[in-house]
Amino acid sequence: MKLSRIFCLILSLAVLFGVFSTPTVLAAPSNSVSAGCSSLKANMPLGGTNKLLDSADSAILYELNSGTLVYSWNADHRINPSSMVKILTAYVAIQHGNLEDVVTVRRSTLDTIPIGSVSAGLSRDEEITVLDLLYCTMVSSANDASAVLAEHIAGTQADFVALMNETAQSLGCTGSNFTNVTGLNDDNQYSTARDLAIITEAALQNELFSDMFSAESYTVSATNKSDERIVYTTNYMMSQIKIKNHYDLRVTGGKTAAATTTNRSLICTAEVGNTRYLSVVMGADCVVSADGLSVEVFGSFNETADLLDYGFDTYDVRQILSAGQVYGQYPVTGGANDVIAAPSGDVLSVLPKEYDMDLLSFSPSVDTAALKAPLSKGDVLGTLEVRYNGVVLTECDLLAMYDVSLDGMDITPALPLDEVLEEKDHRIWIYVGVAAGAIALLALLVLLAVRLVHNAKIRDRHRRRKRNRRRSR
């Protein structure tokens, strides 16, 4: 019995060391889904594409912090963008203009703006800065400011429009054509909810644009033709200055548009906790008073509120993976050891508030045949795809956590000779110590086994003597 116990102990130690030294190779992923929800250009929103809103021609709900397309409806439907155009106008002007330039307003420029359209009240020969023109364009949606801004930067409005189309194409917009800088009606001018969301997401990366997008009002400096004047936002979801019943604490910025008196649109941002949405509602119905002088129901505000309710009530942003988190271990051809893989950074995504862990899956894609030594820390080994209920949430690179040297070769950075010898001596003593420890452990086990056998023999001898004494009696 004692010998059996000793044998089991030695066997257990061997198995234990074997487990720690055996590499774990993760299986390659199954066929990847070509479309997911991890960008505005994705075709499989997490929440689907069923119609949620009453009247909007198209809509998008996109989570900015994680880059997740949560919902879309008719996202690529071409529609009159109306004043949404000014988002691109302002973005291009910021990229190409000098904010401190003082612009002299020309009468010929003002004549291109229809009488009665929204304006900042600019006058002929008025001198105003580019910065003030930008705020007038974005906050109050002033058509005269947009036109003056464009001509100052590009020489003509037509040349500025060419810059706008170039910028939209460079961002990956495929369903848009811009013909003017104001958004005034033109049958040849069109865009989509997706394209406008792409443009807005890019523009929001600019601090000035973000400030203008979130401004409730702005004070225009006094000019040679005017005292200070204040312009106000037309996004009543983030301001109570004019209309109070649409105010929403979640809304942090936005730009309105009116294609007609009964057709309204709104792009806005809204935030609760670590969830930050970009919402696009295009072509929502509005109800105008009988005399035609006021809007009784702003469909764009109401349906934006419904869309935000859906997003905030249904989903949360969660961290799925962390930078430096060990994900897998892969063999390296010619390597002294396997390579350890980790995500390239923290990975956030949107998940239902009551999500099912069984529906969350991770699919690595690593071509192990291509992994050849030497490898350096940070080398890209492959990708990791994260899915929920079959929809691709996101994808990140898998990076090597440590260097992998050639088998039998040390590829650590070169050191001076004395340091190299010192390092080798240090490692030799480590190896000697480990070997001595192993030998000592083995000797201890053998000694224990011998002692147990010896004790067993003594006990057996005593038992035989007792039996012999009893027989002799």
Side-chain angles (χ1 to χ4, degrees):
M1 291 297 293
K2 294 293 182 179
L3 289 174
S4 298
R5 290 178 185 174
I6 295 170
F7 176 75
C8 289
L9 175 61
I10 296 173
L11 181 61
S12 298
L13 288 170
V15 171
L16 182 62
F17 284 119
V19 167
F20 280 111
S21 61
T22 301
T24 301
V25 180
L26 300 180
S30 57
N31 291 332
S32 175
V33 177
S34 60
C37 63
S38 57
S39 78
L40 277 167
K41 298 173 185 178
N43 292 316
M44 293 181 65
L46 183 62
T49 58
N50 293 329
K51 186 174 177 62
L52 294 180
L53 306 179
D54 293 333
S55 66
D57 290 330
S58 58
I60 272 183
L61 187 64
Y62 178 73
E63 206 290 311
L64 288 162
N65 291 333
S66 63
T68 305
L69 184 60
V70 173
Y71 171 77
S72 70
W73 163 257
N74 272 350
D76 300 306
H77 172 63
R78 291 181 176 180
I79 192 171
N80 177 7
S82 188
S83 289
M84 299 292 187
V85 167
K86 294 187 178 75
I87 293 174
L88 183 56
T89 301
Y91 181 46
V92 172
I94 291 172
Q95 289 180 314
H96 295 274
N98 184 339
L99 302 179
E100 297 177 357
D101 281 357
V102 177
V103 184
T104 300
V105 178
R106 296 196 297 259
R107 174 64 181 271
S108 59
T109 306
L110 297 178
D111 287 344
T112 65
I113 306 303
I115 296 174
S117 70
V118 179
S119 76
L122 300 180
S123 302
R124 175 183 178 181
D125 295 329
E126 184 169 2
E127 296 175 354
I128 186 171
T129 65
V130 165
L131 180 63
D132 284 345
L133 289 171
L134 276 166
Y135 268 97
C136 289
T137 297
M138 279 299 299
V139 178
S140 65
S141 200
N143 294 318
D144 52 353
S146 302
V148 172
L149 193 61
E151 289 190 8
H152 170 72
I153 291 173
T156 68
Q157 292 182 52
D159 287 340
F160 190 89
V161 169
L163 290 176
M164 291 168 61
N165 282 305
E166 289 174 9
T167 301
Q169 290 170 11
S170 70
L171 292 173
C173 299
T174 58
S176 299
N177 183 57
F178 300 100
T179 60
N180 62 53
V181 301
T182 59
L184 291 169
N185 190 41
D186 184 332
D187 291 341
N188 293 320
Q189 181 159 259
Y190 51 82
S191 190
T192 67
R194 191 189 305 275
D195 282 359
L196 291 169
I198 289 172
I199 293 167
T200 304
E201 182 187 27
L204 285 170
Q205 304 305 309
N206 180 274
E207 185 177 355
L208 173 59
F209 181 92
S210 182
D211 288 345
M212 294 190 299
F213 196 72
S214 61
E216 296 182 28
S217 63
Y218 178 75
T219 301
V220 181
S221 301
T223 69
N224 60 322
K225 295 283 187 175
S226 172
D227 295 332
E228 284 186 350
R229 71 198 101 172
I230 302 176
V231 293
Y232 299 96
T233 182
T234 53
N235 180 9
Y236 304 136
M237 293 191 76
M238 69 175 189
S239 171
Q240 302 183 76
I241 294 174
K242 291 189 176 182
I243 298 177
K244 301 182 183 299
N245 61 323
H246 291 292
Y247 182 70
D248 191 322
L249 280 170
R250 301 171 300 184
V251 176
T252 57
K255 180 74 186 71
T256 62
T260 66
T261 55
T262 59
N263 183 302
R264 300 296 176 99
S265 300
L266 173 65
I267 293 181
C268 78
T269 51
E271 188 170 355
V272 174
N274 67 337
T275 303
R276 183 176 176 231
Y277 281 121
L278 174 62
S279 167
V280 183
V281 171
M282 304 291 293
D285 290 343
C286 287
V287 178
V288 181
S289 62
D291 58 13
L293 298 178
S294 62
V295 177
E296 295 181 346
V297 177
F298 284 93
S300 54
F301 297 151
N302 293 339
E303 299 201 356
T304 293
D306 290 342
L307 189 55
L308 293 177
D309 287 343
Y310 165 74
F312 286 117
D313 292 347
T314 310
Y315 300 98
D316 277 330
V317 173
R318 297 180 182 272
Q319 182 168 322
I320 298 176
L321 296 167
S322 301
Q325 175 183 343
V326 175
Y327 185 79
Q329 181 173 333
Y330 298 91
V332 179
T333 301
N337 51 271
D338 292 348
V339 65
I340 306 299
S344 55
D346 294 344
V347 176
L348 301 177
S349 190
V350 174
L351 286 172
K353 286 183 179 292
E354 302 297 331
Y355 70 95
D356 184 348
M357 275 296 298
D358 292 337
L359 298 179
L360 192 62
S361 61
F362 302 85
S363 300
S365 179
V366 177
D367 183 4
T368 54
L371 298 181
K372 298 179 180 179
L375 292 175
S376 299
K377 179 181 178 180
D379 283 351
V380 177
L381 307 176
T383 58
L384 179 62
E385 192 176 74
V386 184
R387 305 184 192 188
Y388 184 76
N389 199 22
V391 176
V392 178
L393 294 179
T394 188
E395 184 179 85
C396 69
D397 287 335
L398 286 174
L399 307 182
M401 289 189 69
Y402 307 102
D403 295 346
V404 177
S405 63
L406 289 167
D407 193 10
M409 180 182 297
D410 188 355
I411 60 167
T412 53
L415 296 173
L417 181 58
D418 57 341
E419 293 186 32
V420 171
L421 294 175
E422 181 181 349
E423 177 69 18
K424 286 185 177 180
D425 289 341
H426 177 68
R427 274 183 281 175
I428 288 171
W429 282 112
I430 291 176
Y431 297 151
V432 170
V434 171
I439 292 171
L441 177 60
L442 182 59
L444 181 61
L445 291 173
V446 171
L447 181 60
L448 179 61
V450 171
R451 181 170 293 241
L452 289 173
V453 170
H454 177 68
N455 290 341
K457 287 181 179 180
I458 291 174
R459 283 194 297 270
D460 186 55
R461 189 179 303 123
H462 283 303
R463 283 195 296 270
R464 285 200 303 271
R465 286 176 181 175
K466 287 181 181 180
R467 284 197 301 269
N468 291 335
R469 286 175 189 161
R470 285 195 296 267
R471 289 174 183 173
S472 64
R473 289 175 187 172

